Amino acid sequence: MTIAIRCVDIDDIIVKVHEFFIGFINVEDTSGLGLFKRLEDVLIELHLNIDDIRGQGYDNGSNMKEKHDQIGRIEAKGLWMYTLEDFEFLISLCIWYKLLDKVNHVSKLLQQEYMEIDDAITRLKELIIYFENVRECGFEDLMEEARTLARKVGIDPVFVQKRVSRRSKKFDEGVNDYAHGNQSLEDKFRITYFLRIIDQALTSLRDRFEQLERFEELFEFLFNGNSKVLVKSN
């Protein structure tokens, strides 16, 4: 059995994902229970708490001989296929890919060993402008991209009305809280999902931008004709 562990580092503002190959583990019992017990032993050896772990395991289909495992696999496959065939899920993937690809590019630049603070400010400013442009005029392009992809994989490129649980209106909720009730499903998605993601990202980026500007102002006296203040990104 092959074991690999993916770790999410959230110690910094920028979330990082690391993956480690642990090795090949000898297995005698290839049933679901046998694999779990073997994996449990490995985690104990690595001093990892199983309660903190989310993982995926593949056993080359040997567990299909067990009735309950087979039912579980069928149900999981059905849920997986249902999710992938949902256009809302597809457009969500397009949005995240576009945004994270840009953020990842800038993040790598900021982590360069000799990144200067004024250059870092410029990069962040460019990223903020990029997000602002996407917010203003990028949704339709993303929708068209998702529609094209949906047609290629055989998914109906429309939003489907999902069942919404009803609740009583609270005394401190205004008319605007329910204003989206008459909007189309596409508009609802744009407002409650797309714009919310963009606005949260812009808030974080602007905070970081203002912080770097304050640092530059504080350490401006260190500048001379041949030196720059370096920014260290951990």
Side-chain angles (χ1 to χ4, degrees):
M1 178 169 61
T2 303
I3 294 184
I5 293 178
R6 181 178 292 120
C7 306
V8 181
D9 182 2
I10 57 175
D11 290 335
D12 198 2
I13 295 178
I14 301 176
V15 177
K16 303 175 184 177
V17 178
H18 307 284
E19 189 171 64
F20 302 94
F21 170 70
I22 304 301
F24 299 103
I25 309 300
N26 187 39
V27 175
E28 300 292 340
D29 182 1
T30 59
S31 67
L33 180 60
L35 292 175
F36 174 77
K37 291 294 186 182
R38 189 68 185 92
L39 178 60
E40 190 176 33
D41 292 339
V42 172
L43 295 177
I44 292 175
E45 295 172 3
L46 295 173
H47 305 289
L48 295 175
N49 186 350
I50 195 170
D51 293 332
D52 296 332
I53 292 177
R54 305 293 182 269
Q56 292 174 296
Y58 304 92
D59 65 337
N60 297 321
S62 63
N63 280 336
M64 293 299 288
K65 62 187 177 183
E66 298 182 19
K67 179 179 179 181
H68 294 293
D69 288 329
Q70 184 177 10
I71 294 175
R73 288 172 184 267
I74 293 174
E75 291 177 346
K77 182 178 180 180
L79 178 61
W80 172 68
M81 291 300 295
Y82 172 78
T83 301
L84 290 183
E85 291 175 354
D86 182 56
F87 180 67
E88 183 174 322
F89 176 74
L90 192 62
I91 179 64
S92 300
L93 288 181
C94 292
I95 292 171
W96 280 109
Y97 178 81
K98 184 179 183 69
L99 298 181
L100 292 180
D101 182 63
K102 187 68 173 181
V103 170
N104 183 57
H105 174 71
V106 176
S107 174
K108 289 181 178 179
L109 292 176
L110 294 180
Q111 293 180 60
Q112 292 178 346
E113 183 176 359
Y114 297 105
M115 170 59 64
E116 298 170 353
I117 191 169
D118 53 342
D119 290 338
I121 290 174
T122 300
R123 297 294 183 179
L124 275 178
K125 181 62 176 178
E126 291 173 349
L127 187 58
I128 290 172
I129 294 174
Y130 172 81
F131 269 77
E132 290 174 341
N133 290 334
V134 171
R135 189 188 193 282
E136 292 301 318
C137 54
F139 183 72
E140 286 302 323
D141 291 338
L142 286 166
M143 281 292 298
E144 186 57 36
E145 180 182 334
R147 292 189 186 104
T148 301
L149 181 59
R151 296 186 187 99
K152 288 182 178 180
V153 298
I155 296 176
D156 193 11
V158 295
F159 290 95
V160 178
Q161 178 67 58
K162 295 180 174 61
R163 186 172 63 88
V164 180
S165 59
R166 301 294 181 182
R167 62 178 178 81
S168 300
K169 181 179 176 181
K170 297 180 180 179
F171 73 93
D172 59 344
E173 291 179 329
V175 176
N176 291 333
D177 296 316
Y178 290 87
H180 63 270
N182 296 324
Q183 294 172 336
S184 67
L185 296 178
E186 181 177 323
D187 285 338
K188 287 182 182 178
F189 179 83
R190 183 180 64 85
I191 294 171
T192 62
Y193 187 88
F194 174 73
L195 292 182
R196 182 171 297 179
I197 290 174
I198 298 294
D199 289 343
Q200 289 178 345
L202 281 172
T203 297
S204 298
L205 289 172
R206 286 164 179 160
D207 287 344
R208 188 69 178 267
F209 178 77
E210 292 173 1
Q211 183 183 54
L212 285 179
E213 280 193 321
R214 288 196 296 270
F215 287 162
E216 184 180 42
E217 183 179 351
L218 287 172
F219 296 107
E220 187 177 7
F221 67 94
L222 294 176
F223 283 73
N224 57 48
N226 299 315
S227 64
K228 293 283 187 176
V229 175
L230 302 181
V231 55
K232 181 64 175 177
S233 179
N234 295 320

